[in-house]
Amino acid sequence: MADTSRKPSDSYSPIYFLASLGAGGITVSFFMFLMFWVPHPGRPVPIFEDIMSAFATGSPALQSAIVIAWIGIAVFAFLNVKSLAWNLGALAQFKQTEGYAALRASNAESTLLAMPLALAMTVNAMFIVGLVFVPGLWSVVEYLFPLAMIAFAAIGVLAFRIIGAFLGRVLSKGGVFDVTAHNSFAQLLPAFAVSMVAVGFAAPAAMSTNPATVGISLMVSTFLGITAILYTILAATSAVSSMLQHGTAREAGPTLMIVIPIVTVLGIMFLRQNHGLHTTFDVHASDGETLVFLTRLLSIQLAFLGLGAVVLKAQGYFTDFVTGPKTSPGSYALVCPAVALSVMIHFFVNKGLVASGMIAKFGVAYWGATAFAIAAQVIAIWLVFRLNRQHFGTPRDALAVPAE
């Protein structure tokens, strides 16, 4: 009989770091309102002064959007940090248990990469908070970029140490990796973590005016991005073979859509790199090329969205683990694709359709396309509050089922 005095989160899994990741991603999705709707001439991103000017002189609709963005960024940045702090404390306690030793000896050791993944997202989210709420930040931003790169480098080293320990164990001798339990895309989590560090490292390339800073940002983010792509291809290929033989692991079903956030993160990395090449090294890409590039990325995402939806529906995942009585920390993996689609659609609409001249900004077609981004964002917000209530709220009869 289940212990009704325990919350599902009391059965800890490193996958709970995805709760922090999801909140951080929603913070980014609210920043898209400011990024594409607030004028910021001469700067790649809007800052506090741009936002205040737009609020003072803008239309009631723009003022409402700014207020919504302010509230959304503040609330979800707080949830991001709160969840990260809880996870770091819970992981420290978990390391003292036999369960941690068992995890380090199983396929699930790769779930430890959720920690550097969440750390990298928090650094990105805090940079957004600084841009939006801190006056005068842009005047010292060139001093912040080296500090940000040091932070991302430290997170990257942490991620590669965990990956190295995992791969060193499973590749140095046979029989320690359970191929029958590789029937999901859970092993793509290391690639996701590295890609998140890569996009953070690419930020100075898009925003700095110092050639050395831009160059280092370009080179290191390229190494990280290529590493993430290679890991994604290899892990996904081997996982598909296992899924065809054994079916998709039910608790890890949401990982079938992990390719969606990986594509968004790497897509933004490439856009940041292109901007740095343009502004610092006089390398130019046309708006039409950007439109085709973003269309290709969105096509990949829609393909994996369809794959995941088909499998999850066939398994009855949503009725059991999202709206039903069962719980699994792997459910938090559903937030990432929704956030990633929202952010990608914003870029596709503004940097693709509008920039290429296909549609007019703020026209009927513009808002029709943007509505899909907002709908995906609303789904992500609902999932975060729903899952937080399930896992961290009033104790439920069902205990958490760790995702492999």
Side-chain angles (χ1 to χ4, degrees):
M1 185 180 227
D3 183 357
T4 57
S5 67
R6 291 168 55 85
K7 299 187 296 290
S9 57
D10 291 334
S11 298
Y12 184 72
S13 166
I15 291 295
Y16 275 122
F17 275 101
L18 296 186
S20 174
L21 176 72
I26 294 174
T27 302
V28 176
S29 72
F30 277 108
F31 183 68
M32 293 297 99
F33 294 7
L34 307 176
M35 176 75 178
F36 295 118
W37 301 346
V38 170
H40 44 94
R43 280 181 291 269
V45 291
I47 61 175
F48 174 83
E49 288 77 10
D50 296 321
I51 299 166
M52 293 303 298
S53 176
F55 186 77
T57 61
S59 66
L62 179 57
Q63 290 174 334
S64 299
I66 290 173
V67 170
I68 292 171
W70 274 337
I71 296 172
I73 290 170
V75 169
F76 285 96
F78 170 77
L79 290 178
N80 167 258
V81 174
K82 177 184 177 183
S83 181
L84 178 67
W86 177 86
N87 269 284
L88 290 173
L91 178 62
Q93 294 180 356
F94 180 59
K95 286 182 176 180
Q96 310 304 316
T97 67
E98 294 181 0
Y100 178 74
L103 179 140
R104 291 296 300 267
S106 70
N107 291 15
E109 182 180 10
S110 61
T111 62
L112 293 172
L113 270 300
M115 186 251 290
L117 171 60
L119 287 172
M121 172 57 82
T122 298
V123 175
N124 286 317
M126 290 304 100
F127 189 73
I128 287 175
V129 170
L131 290 175
V132 174
F133 294 112
V134 179
L137 184 70
W138 200 252
S139 64
V140 297
V141 74
E142 289 293 350
Y143 299 100
L144 299 179
F145 289 142
L147 297 177
M149 289 194 289
I150 290 172
F152 281 115
I155 296 171
V157 169
L158 174 62
F160 279 115
R161 288 186 63 184
I162 299 173
I163 293 171
F166 174 65
L167 292 182
R169 179 176 64 83
V170 301
L171 296 180
S172 62
K173 51 187 176 181
V176 297
F177 186 80
D178 187 356
V179 178
T180 63
H182 186 33
N183 53 340
S184 71
F185 280 172
Q187 294 301 327
L188 270 65
L189 191 59
F192 192 6
V194 174
S195 66
M196 188 63 71
V197 177
V199 74
F201 233 107
M207 302 181 200
S208 177
T209 57
N210 184 301
T213 300
V214 174
I216 293 171
S217 172
L218 284 170
M219 290 186 290
V220 178
S221 62
T222 295
F223 164 73
L224 293 168
I226 294 300
T227 301
I229 292 171
L230 291 174
Y231 203 111
T232 298
I233 293 172
L234 294 173
T237 301
S238 58
V240 168
S241 176
S242 182
M243 284 188 283
L244 290 174
Q245 294 183 56
H246 308 288
T248 302
R250 194 156 184 260
E251 290 80 16
T255 64
L256 291 178
M257 295 186 283
I258 196 174
V259 172
I260 297 174
I262 291 176
V263 167
T264 289
V265 169
L266 291 177
I268 295 174
M269 181 199 75
F270 285 122
L271 291 175
R272 287 176 168 178
Q273 290 180 334
N274 287 341
H275 187 81
L277 288 170
H278 168 71
T279 58
T280 305
F281 298 108
D282 202 29
V283 177
H284 305 284
S286 70
D287 293 327
E289 290 172 323
T290 301
L291 171 63
V292 172
F293 172 68
L294 291 172
T295 302
R296 289 168 178 165
L297 297 185
L298 188 58
S299 298
I300 295 171
Q301 292 179 313
L302 293 177
F304 279 94
L305 176 65
L307 172 65
V310 166
V311 174
L312 292 176
K313 181 180 179 181
Q315 292 181 330
Y317 186 92
F318 291 97
T319 55
D320 279 348
F321 293 103
V322 178
T323 60
K326 298 181 180 180
T327 58
S328 168
S331 299
Y332 278 101
L334 293 170
V335 179
C336 302
V339 170
L341 274 176
S342 177
V343 173
M344 177 56 73
I345 292 171
H346 277 295
F347 274 94
F348 173 73
V349 171
N350 291 276
K351 294 295 187 181
L353 299 179
V354 173
S356 66
M358 281 191 64
I359 65 174
K361 191 165 187 176
F362 302 139
V364 174
Y366 179 90
W367 290 118
T370 300
F372 289 101
I374 295 175
Q377 181 186 32
V378 170
I379 291 172
I381 292 170
W382 176 82
L383 280 169
V384 164
F385 286 124
R386 169 66 181 176
L387 294 173
N388 283 352
R389 187 166 61 251
Q390 281 184 311
H391 291 262
F392 298 93
T394 303
R396 299 283 301 274
D397 288 342
L399 293 177
V401 180
E404 291 293 333

